[in-house]
Amino acid sequence: MTTIEYLQKLEQCLQKIPMDDRQEMLRFYQEFLEDGGDAAMEELGTPETLAQRILQENGYTESTPTQVRPDPKKRSISHIIAIWTLVILSSPIWLSLLVAFFSVMLSLLIVVAVIPISLAAAAVCSIGYGTIMLFHMASVGIFGLGVGLFCAGLTILLAIPCWIAVKALCAAFATVLKNCWKITFGKEY
Amino acid sequence: MTAFPISAGLLDAMVLALVQKEDTYGYKITREIQNMVSVSESTLYPVLRRLQKNQYLTTYDKPHMGRNRRYYKITSEGRTALTQYRTDWDAYKKQIDYFLEGDIT
């Protein structure tokens, strides 16, 4: 068995250990194998037995989780019932707050998005109007063209920041909702 | 199996003393400890991890034959802890020796 195969097998057997700890641990055994060669591998035993020893010495043994598991499960069922009761009873408050939050976020989004759109519309209209008026009343036409160019410039200037702001608002909105969920239910959705 | 298994505290102290002599790497630490006392590799990794968590040891990577080897280095907190371990061990040894080495009389 090569070192890489050994480490892959070992990693498979250590899935119970959190990712960061596992990577650190594997790094240690990788170096041990690289420094010690075949003799080191023989000493460590098969990946399965080594994993067994590691799990035992770090309190991840087969027996411990099954002994611990029933308790939190029972608790979590009553926990869920309590939470749903609270959710239903307090709905007049949180529902209206949620609606208010939604509307504020939506109006903010609209305001930000409308800035470049209205500027672009103003630019198109003013340039069109200016071009037509140029042949009837030169001064008004030039004024119209000027306003149009000004608006077009502003559109170009503001389009990117507004787009970024819209994206940031959406992201913030999503984070807030996600955190609300996490706080209420104590886990990822 | 010896009648006096090596405790976690003793292993911490032994590894600290080894690393204090010079910066060294996992394989060498394991070998040097195993030369004197019978402990498994899976016992020594948690020791190194714990010493790092307590900030008694830090690590740095040094290239060696085309790969990176992780070296362990003692910190000033580690030195303080080691001094304390030595004091404690000395006291402990005297207590036991009092009975076992015939000082009772």
Side-chain angles (χ1 to χ4, degrees):
Chain A
M1 200 186 310
T2 66
T3 304
I4 295 169
E5 284 168 347
Y6 189 99
L7 291 166
Q8 277 171 350
K9 271 230 178 94
L10 183 61
E11 182 168 16
Q12 278 167 19
C13 300
L14 295 176
Q15 291 299 317
K16 274 183 213 162
I17 296 176
M19 172 86 157
D20 287 355
D21 291 349
R22 201 189 328 139
Q23 292 308 322
E24 281 281 304
M25 203 176 266
L26 285 166
R27 163 102 203 232
F28 174 81
Y29 288 106
Q30 181 185 346
E31 285 197 19
F32 190 84
L33 289 170
E34 283 168 349
D35 282 322
D38 288 345
M41 196 181 286
E42 211 163 287
E43 238 174 275
L44 288 179
T46 65
E48 289 82 4
T49 54
L50 176 61
Q52 197 66 39
R53 268 188 290 145
I54 291 172
L55 291 173
Q56 254 165 26
E57 280 167 42
N58 291 286
Y60 290 101
T61 33
E62 294 296 325
S63 55
T64 352
T66 38
Q67 277 171 350
V68 179
R69 225 171 264 156
D71 234 351
K73 218 173 199 177
K74 245 190 248 159
R75 220 180 289 141
S76 71
I77 286 172
S78 58
H79 186 67
I80 287 169
I81 291 171
I83 279 180
W84 278 107
T85 318
L86 267 178
V87 163
I88 292 162
L89 285 178
S90 62
S91 59
I93 298 167
W94 65 259
L95 208 61
S96 44
L97 278 176
L98 202 67
V99 169
F101 176 68
F102 256 110
S103 359
V104 168
M105 286 305 283
L106 198 66
S107 47
L108 263 178
L109 262 182
I110 290 171
V111 165
V112 173
V114 146
I115 292 170
I117 293 171
S118 54
L119 275 173
V124 170
C125 293
S126 301
I127 290 172
Y129 174 75
T131 318
I132 294 164
M133 280 311 278
L134 208 55
F135 304 105
H136 302 290
M137 250 169 103
S139 58
V140 174
I142 289 167
F143 174 71
L145 277 175
V147 170
L149 284 175
F150 178 72
C151 289
L154 267 185
T155 309
I156 293 166
L157 216 66
L158 289 178
I160 291 169
C162 283
W163 175 239
I164 292 170
V166 165
K167 277 204 289 192
L169 273 173
C170 286
F173 188 42
T175 326
V176 168
L177 278 186
K178 230 189 268 178
N179 283 340
C180 285
W181 187 276
K182 238 201 255 174
I183 289 164
T184 323
F185 298 103
K187 60 182 170 216
E188 303 278 339
Y189 55 110
Chain B
M1 200 65 188
T2 159
F4 310 118
I6 301 278
S7 72
L10 281 177
L11 279 173
D12 288 7
M14 283 155 59
V15 171
L16 268 182
L18 264 181
V19 181
Q20 189 209 23
K21 276 197 294 177
E22 56 171 346
D23 294 0
T24 179
Y25 52 93
Y27 182 74
K28 205 168 164 209
I29 295 172
T30 313
R31 278 287 170 263
E32 286 189 34
I33 298 280
Q34 283 177 334
N35 274 342
M36 294 305 293
V37 293
S38 90
V39 287
S40 76
E41 300 76 20
S42 55
T43 316
L44 275 168
Y45 174 73
V47 174
L48 287 168
R49 188 96 190 99
R50 185 166 55 237
L51 290 173
Q52 278 180 77
K53 271 205 181 130
N54 293 339
Q55 300 184 328
Y56 293 165
L57 293 182
T58 55
T59 61
Y60 61 93
D61 290 349
K62 203 163 125 184
H64 169 80
M65 311 234 305
R67 60 185 174 85
N68 265 335
R69 207 185 233 166
R70 178 157 293 175
Y71 275 78
Y72 295 85
K73 184 183 173 66
I74 194 164
T75 62
S76 56
E77 287 100 325
R79 282 177 209 283
T80 317
L82 181 57
T83 315
Q84 187 58 45
Y85 275 130
R86 287 196 162 120
T87 324
D88 288 355
W89 174 246
D90 215 42
Y92 184 79
K93 204 161 54 175
K94 278 192 184 123
Q95 287 165 15
I96 306 297
D97 278 351
Y98 173 78
F99 297 101
L100 298 188
E101 300 296 327
D103 285 357
I104 304 174
T105 46

